[in-house]
Amino acid sequence: MKITREQIDHVARLARLELTDAEKEMFTGQMDAILAYVDKLNELDTGGIIPTSHAVPVENVFREDVATESLGTDRALLNAPDRSESFFRVPKVIE
Amino acid sequence: MELYELTIHELHRKLKNREVSSVEATRSMLERIGAVEDRVRSFITVTPEEALKNAEAADRRIAKGKIDVLTGIPVALKDIFLTAGIRTTCASRILENFIPPYDSTAVAKLKEKGIVLVGKLNQDEFAMGSSTESSWFGTTRNPWHPDYIPGGSSGGSASCIAARQATATLGTDTGGSIRQPASHCGCVGLKPTYGRVSRYGVIAYASSLDQVGPVTRDVADCAIMLGAVAGHDPKDSTSVNLPVPDYSAALVHDVKGLKIGLPREYFIEGLDPSVKKAMDEAIATYQGLGAEFMEISLPHTDYAVATYYLIATAEASSNLARYDGVRFGHRNTDARGLLDMYMLSRDEGFGAEVKRRIMLGTYALSSGYYDAYYLKAQKVRTLIMRDFIKAFETVDVILTPVAPTPAFKIGEKFNDPLQMYLSDIFTIPVNLAGTCGISVPAGFSREGLPIGVQLIGKPFGEETILRAAYAFEQNTEWHKRKADM
């Protein structure tokens, strides 16, 4: 086994996913098969190979520090599931 | 011929000569959508009011003599492109009611040219899939045969073109999501070089691989659409600041002396005989036109799918962290605290394939596994890129199948993710290398399903693959066949 049920519980928590038992069961088997497949990468010697994060060279892009038009509070709050005045409202964080 | 049957360039000529109005063309298209949509289900949202409003504006613009080649043309968009004021779902329950406050850059550019938006198209949820079966809004059908998938993730973009429900569409391609459905539905689909088109306002899946591109009825339309959306955008720091060529001017009927590479690793055992036949015939066509063939090697091809499913899922797990029920999207209202709200909202909002990829990506990035999976995959990505750089030292373009088989049946691979992933084996390497590829119609299976071939170009070599695709199209009849519906 490449991955155990306990690891699935741990990863689901990291990913902030409240999975059902049936989902956990299914993902354990499927991820095990996928991880067994991706193990084929270990056939390759990648010593000294520089990892690629982007296919084109990406550099930080600077611009002049000038104010431009932005989204604005009203439009930013348009899709809020819950709001209070000009804020997003969420359940209590601290008991 | 009905107006909904016309290509961009054909309809443009009629609009320009004032033979027809954009309102007439748009009404024809909306009627067509109404007539066939229950059999195809290309759309998540049809926008008739927006379309007629756009068409009236286009007609006023044409009356003033300010016509662009896209003015008044009915276009539909994959539901991954933010459209201001028009619901954009990415085929997910988590965005079921999301109304974007702004347009993606690609959409803004099309609007400037005066397109008519007829609707938003179905896709796999968050562009994760190869069949359009993972959509929260149901499965799209292949217009050539209702028992078969249209491909994915831009399945609605391709089915919509094959069913003549829009004149042109845009899709996105992260591992083949434009080229594979274009091949399965008998359309032309182009994935540009990474950085050629802005990703601003395109809902992110895997940011180092995602790219916007057209799905169209022919190569000339493909060139028009690419030229309209390509170019640098200050809002996307990965968009490249290179001039945009006149892609339509590249469509000259001449491939004499063009050096075409055939990678031996792409002629695998699992290749369907009908795909092999389409490839053999395509080679013969190009030879007849004076192109030169040579066998090449892309030695790391067999590692591309594994590399992709680690890199893409890792990036997805990070990109999809934003769906937490706080600022937009679905929120569970029974949650007892903030953490509970995050976890329940995400569990309810995401479908199985999205959860599976978030889980895999989170695992690949997690402490203790990062080096073994994510970093290893990034190193193999370097090797795959080098394969292409080396190949392009001797050839101008590479000719390959798009997919190992024609479209498969609905349900056939849905419960076997690894088999589904392996169907992208010939398209994924192009995204990892960051270069461009086009799918053009090249044959049919015994069941009457379309088959495309892929031309892969050098980075920013879109003109060359368009020219090669155009020459092929002008010497074959495949693109003239239409799905009977």
Side-chain angles (χ1 to χ4, degrees), chain A residues 7 23 30 43 50 52 75, chain B residues 101 303 355-356 369 382:
Chain A
Q7 284 175 298
E23 283 176 320
Q30 289 173 337
E43 294 165 10
I50 297 162
T52 296
R75 283 204 295 163
Chain B
Y303 301 96
K355 287 177 193 170
R356 187 156 43 234
Y369 298 96
T382 306

Side-chain angles (χ1 to χ4, degrees), chain A residues 8 11 15 17 19 22-23 25-34, chain B residues 125 128-129 134 309 313-314 316-317 320 350-364 413-418 420-421:
Chain A
I8 290 283
V11 173
L17 286 169
L19 301 179
E23 283 176 320
E25 190 74 21
M26 178 176 75
F27 289 159
T28 308
Q30 289 173 337
M31 277 179 64
D32 197 60
I34 296 165
Chain B
E125 184 181 5
M128 297 179 189
S134 74
Y309 279 96
T313 58
S317 73
L320 271 63
F350 292 137
E353 183 60 28
V354 173
K355 287 177 193 170
R356 187 156 43 234
R357 294 199 193 189
I358 292 173
M359 290 286 290
L360 188 60
T362 304
Y363 179 75
K413 296 186 181 179
F414 193 58
N415 294 314
D416 190 347
L418 190 54
M420 184 81 88
Y421 298 173

Side-chain angles (χ1 to χ4, degrees), chain A residues 68-84:
Chain A
T68 54
E69 205 186 325
S70 65
L71 202 56
T73 312
D74 288 342
R75 283 204 295 163
L77 284 163
L78 270 178
N79 285 282
D82 194 7
R83 60 183 284 189
S84 173

Side-chain angles (χ1 to χ4, degrees), chain B residues 51-68:
Chain B
L52 287 168
K53 206 173 70 184
N54 294 166
E56 284 163 13
D59 283 335
R60 285 194 297 274
R61 179 169 167 172
I62 294 166
K64 287 182 200 152
K66 287 189 210 156
I67 190 168
D68 178 274

Side-chain angles (χ1 to χ4, degrees), chain A residues 71 75-76 78-79, chain B residues 45 47 50 75-92 94-112 115 117 119-121 123 126 170-172 198-205 212 229 233 235 322-323 328-329:
Chain A
L71 202 56
R75 283 204 295 163
L78 270 178
N79 285 282
Chain B
T45 308
T47 55
E50 173 81 8
V75 170
L77 303 163
K78 187 177 184 179
D79 210 18
I80 200 167
F81 292 94
L82 298 193
T83 42
I86 294 168
R87 182 175 76 141
T88 300
T89 67
C90 222
S92 181
I94 214 159
L95 290 175
E96 192 171 11
N97 300 307
F98 179 66
I99 313 277
Y102 61 92
D103 279 324
S104 52
T105 297
V107 173
K109 285 187 171 219
L110 293 178
K111 279 186 176 175
E112 267 171 41
I115 61 135
L117 180 64
K120 304 294 294 292
L121 297 163
Q123 56 170 89
F126 283 103
L170 284 185
T172 58
S198 169
R199 294 181 294 108
Y200 178 74
V202 181
I203 296 173
Y205 158 26
V212 171
V229 294
D233 177 12
K235 290 174 177 159
R322 75 190 67 179
Y323 303 100
F328 54 83

Side-chain angles (χ1 to χ4, degrees), chain A residues 6-75:
Chain A
E6 289 67 40
Q7 284 175 298
I8 290 283
D9 286 338
H10 173 65
V11 173
R13 186 143 186 95
L14 287 177
R16 300 285 184 261
L17 286 169
E18 181 74 56
L19 301 179
T20 63
D21 280 346
E23 283 176 320
K24 286 178 183 171
E25 190 74 21
M26 178 176 75
F27 289 159
T28 308
Q30 289 173 337
M31 277 179 64
D32 197 60
I34 296 165
L35 290 170
Y37 175 76
V38 303
D39 251 3
K40 74 188 300 165
L41 297 187
N42 292 321
E43 294 165 10
L44 295 171
D45 178 8
T46 50
I49 303 291
I50 297 162
T52 296
S53 57
H54 274 84
V56 291
V58 177
E59 289 166 25
N60 196 20
V61 179
F62 293 97
R63 65 165 175 84
E64 290 304 312
D65 185 17
V66 287
T68 54
E69 205 186 325
S70 65
L71 202 56
T73 312
D74 288 342
R75 283 204 295 163

